[in-house]
Amino acid sequence: MSVRNPLRLLNLAGKSLLTNEALAISALEYLPIELFPPLFMEAFYGRHRKTLKALVQAWPFVRLPLGGLMQTPHVVTLQAVLEGLDVLLTQKDRPRKCKLQVLDVRNTGQDFWRMWSGSSVHVSSSSSMAPTAEDGPRIEKPLVPFEVFTELHLKERTMSEFLTYLLKWVEQRDHFLHLCCKKLKMVSFPMDNIMKALSMELHVNCTWHLSTLAMIAPLLGQMSNVQKLFVSHTHLPDPEEWNEQHIVKITSQFLRLHHLQDLHLESPLYLEGCLDQMLRCLMNPLDNLSITHCLRTDSDLTHLSQSPNISQLKSLNLSGVTMTYSSPDLLPALLEKVSATLQELYLEQSGIRDSHLEAILPALSHCFSMRGNLLSMPIMEKMLQNTSELPSLGRELYPDPQEGFSSQGILQPGRLAQCWTELLEILKDLGCPRTIWICFTPCPHFGDNTFYHPESIIYGGNIPG
């Protein structure tokens, strides 16, 4: 024992009890609540399976944040905990002291263990140290049936031993408990395992062919509590294999997603010309909408601007949605619809021309990014003058002016440098107090991306936060 960091009496008591596991188990009924967390930690890291099983059956808290102790998933300790839960789930009358209603195997709950142990020696680190949103209401009103919280990232052809054991255990006891997963990411995962996972009401971020997405769409519709949905890189079938019913089957599921707030559709080529089918099925206003890297017709943009469920958007991302040949009146109408609430606007690589930008200048009052669009020097100057007068404007990301390229679209470093020299002089004359990031196209003279602000040049590959 270190003289500088002596163990607390509670920790010493836990270590002492575990020298005689039978005594520790028999004493649980009489132990004060304060001793349970440090004793559980000692039993967990010492692999005392019998004590872990007994501690679960007498756990005096509503939630057991098991994941906060696991730097890597460990099947043996999980088995001991689940064996203890099995005893609880089959009992008509629980032990008087036991309050357990939620097992949390996510990487969260570290604050709980720190508070009760007075030490963070064994507790695994996490980027999110605050209690989860569910903690408050569940403590006040325990839920029945029992709940198991997890987050799943399925990246291999087969599931890990830990996950396989957990899902099998839950499936065999689905009448007694709910498996709750707020994040599920699947990459290169077999369809039979996907169907099995979704049947347990998990939230999904998927990458599939259109026919596959249509196949699992009814299961997505069962996730009535889903708040965020990401659908990325859905591949279109060959023309002879196109089936309109796939679109109907997918879009109709939004009628059942009553809590959806964030919708992110990456490369949704299957919605070209029929975006209105999906918009009509949205059940409530969205907070964030992202439709990227696809073709949209004028009718799609018109239906989007007329949808009542975009009127409260905080963030709109239409990057990669080609607007070169769309009517200049459509984008202003859309931004006017969301002007009261919009805080972020992304229109990167959207083929926006001077006529489009001049029409939406009044709407650029918050954070925006225009990278990847070719705009002329006069419209760039006008944009800088317009935004310099807006005190509420956040970060701005500008593209390179088209005068920095040849008529064949080839970058001319000398011309581009001259263009930015002139724009920087304009910024200085405006006395703009904010930082304005200007994304410089990669070229041999300057290496990777170069970022300017009014006083200096910053070289690097990433935009500073």
Side-chain angles (χ1 to χ4, degrees):
M1 182 174 63
S2 171
V3 175
R4 293 184 179 179
N5 298 293
L7 291 175
R8 302 170 72 221
L9 288 177
L10 287 176
N11 300 89
L12 289 172
K15 284 182 175 293
S16 177
L17 274 174
L18 288 175
T19 58
N20 187 332
E21 199 164 14
L23 177 62
I25 293 173
S26 64
L28 290 181
E29 183 179 353
Y30 308 101
L31 288 183
I33 290 178
E34 293 83 356
L35 192 54
F36 272 80
L39 181 59
F40 190 96
M41 293 176 68
E42 295 294 341
F44 180 88
Y45 292 110
R47 302 287 189 262
H48 297 281
R49 292 191 55 172
K50 292 182 179 178
T51 304
L52 283 175
K53 179 178 177 180
L55 280 166
V56 170
Q57 298 172 55
W59 194 246
F61 305 94
V62 172
R63 180 181 294 264
L64 174 56
L66 184 66
L69 297 178
M70 295 189 296
Q71 292 183 351
T72 57
H74 195 276
V75 176
V76 173
T77 51
L78 176 67
Q79 288 175 338
V81 171
L82 296 184
E83 287 172 4
L85 285 179
D86 274 333
V87 176
L88 282 180
L89 292 174
T90 56
Q91 286 179 334
K92 288 186 177 181
D93 299 316
R94 290 191 177 188
R96 177 180 55 84
K97 182 177 289 188
C98 182
K99 301 293 190 298
L100 186 59
Q101 290 289 337
V102 178
L103 173 65
D104 196 337
V105 296
R106 298 173 297 178
N107 184 19
T108 187
Q110 289 83 358
D111 286 346
F112 172 86
W113 299 111
R114 286 192 179 94
M115 177 180 69
W116 288 104
S117 69
S119 170
S120 60
V121 174
H122 293 299
V123 178
S124 62
S125 62
S126 171
S127 60
S128 176
M129 303 303 297
T132 59
E134 302 90 6
D135 288 348
R138 296 191 195 284
I139 291 176
E140 295 173 4
K141 184 179 180 180
L143 296 180
V144 178
F146 195 88
E147 293 182 319
V148 179
F149 278 86
T150 186
E151 290 179 357
L152 304 180
H153 299 276
L154 310 178
K155 301 180 181 181
E156 307 296 337
R157 298 295 299 174
T158 59
M159 291 185 287
S160 66
E161 183 183 3
F162 179 91
L163 179 56
T164 300
Y165 187 89
L166 177 63
L167 292 183
K168 184 177 181 181
W169 183 85
V170 170
E171 187 177 19
Q172 293 172 347
R173 296 155 182 82
D174 60 351
H175 295 298
F176 299 98
L177 52 83
H178 285 160
L179 178 64
C180 306
C181 180
K182 299 187 71 174
K183 294 182 181 179
L184 170 61
K185 183 176 182 179
M186 296 179 178
V187 180
S188 300
F189 209 63
M191 177 52 61
D192 56 345
N193 286 340
I194 290 175
M195 299 294 284
K196 180 179 179 181
L198 288 178
S199 67
M200 286 185 266
E201 301 184 15
L202 302 176
H203 302 170
V204 62
N205 177 355
C206 51
T207 304
W208 292 311
H209 290 274
L210 182 62
S211 58
T212 305
L213 184 58
M215 183 190 306
I216 62 105
L219 295 176
L220 289 174
Q222 294 179 21
M223 304 178 199
S224 59
N225 292 320
V226 68
Q227 297 180 11
K228 297 181 180 180
L229 178 61
F230 298 79
V231 182
S232 60
H233 300 301
T234 304
H235 304 291
L236 285 181
D238 294 330
E240 62 272 13
E241 298 177 357
W242 179 264
N243 188 338
E244 188 68 28
Q245 288 304 308
H246 288 162
I247 307 300
V248 175
K249 187 176 289 187
I250 294 169
T251 57
S252 63
Q253 302 309 314
F254 287 94
L255 291 168
R256 307 168 70 181
L257 305 182
H258 295 274
H259 299 280
L260 187 63
Q261 297 176 355
D262 299 352
L263 178 59
H264 303 261
L265 303 176
E266 186 175 358
S267 303
L269 303 177
Y270 54 93
L271 289 178
E272 181 184 353
C274 54
L275 183 64
D276 59 313
Q277 292 186 34
M278 184 200 74
L279 295 173
R280 287 198 303 267
C281 294
L282 294 175
M283 297 305 294
N284 50 278
L286 298 173
D287 289 338
N288 302 291
L289 175 62
S290 175
I291 302 176
T292 62
H293 302 103
C294 59
L295 297 174
R296 289 276 75 87
T297 65
D298 280 6
S299 65
D300 287 332
L301 293 176
T302 299
H303 288 303
L304 185 59
S305 64
Q306 293 175 348
S307 173
N309 288 317
I310 70 159
S311 60
Q312 299 179 25
L313 282 182
K314 298 176 182 177
S315 175
L316 175 62
N317 186 355
L318 296 177
S319 297
V321 176
T322 303
M323 300 184 185
T324 305
Y325 306 107
S326 64
S327 170
D329 298 331
L330 295 177
L331 192 55
L334 172 60
L335 297 182
E336 175 65 25
K337 182 69 174 289
V338 299
S339 60
T341 58
L342 194 67
Q343 300 175 10
E344 297 179 358
L345 174 65
Y346 300 90
L347 294 171
E348 300 179 2
Q349 298 179 345
S350 297
I352 288 179
R353 301 304 187 196
D354 288 6
S355 58
H356 297 99
L357 186 60
E358 189 158 17
I360 66 172
L361 274 179
L364 300 182
S365 57
H366 292 284
C367 296
F368 66 82
S369 176
M370 296 288 174
R371 294 185 298 174
N373 298 294
L374 284 180
L375 302 173
S376 69
M377 282 288 287
I379 197 64
M380 293 278 286
E381 294 177 15
K382 193 170 185 178
M383 182 163 53
L384 290 175
Q385 292 170 351
N386 180 74
T387 57
S388 67
E389 301 172 356
L390 300 173
S392 63
L393 197 63
R395 186 173 64 178
E396 307 144 61
L397 295 171
Y398 293 90
D400 292 323
Q402 64 184 24
E403 285 81 357
F405 298 82
S406 69
S407 57
Q408 291 78 32
I410 300 174
L411 175 67
Q412 304 295 310
R415 289 191 201 173
L416 198 55
Q418 179 61 34
C419 289
W420 282 125
T421 299
E422 296 176 13
L423 291 173
L424 288 172
E425 289 299 322
I426 293 174
L427 290 174
K428 291 179 180 179
D429 292 341
L430 293 172
C432 181
R434 300 180 312 280
T435 298
I436 299 183
W437 301 106
I438 306 174
C439 301
F440 195 58
T441 303
C443 67
H445 290 2
F446 295 94
D448 290 333
N449 292 339
T450 303
F451 304 97
Y452 292 85
H453 73 67
E455 297 299 330
S456 64
I457 302 175
I458 303 173
Y459 296 91
N462 296 309
I463 301 171

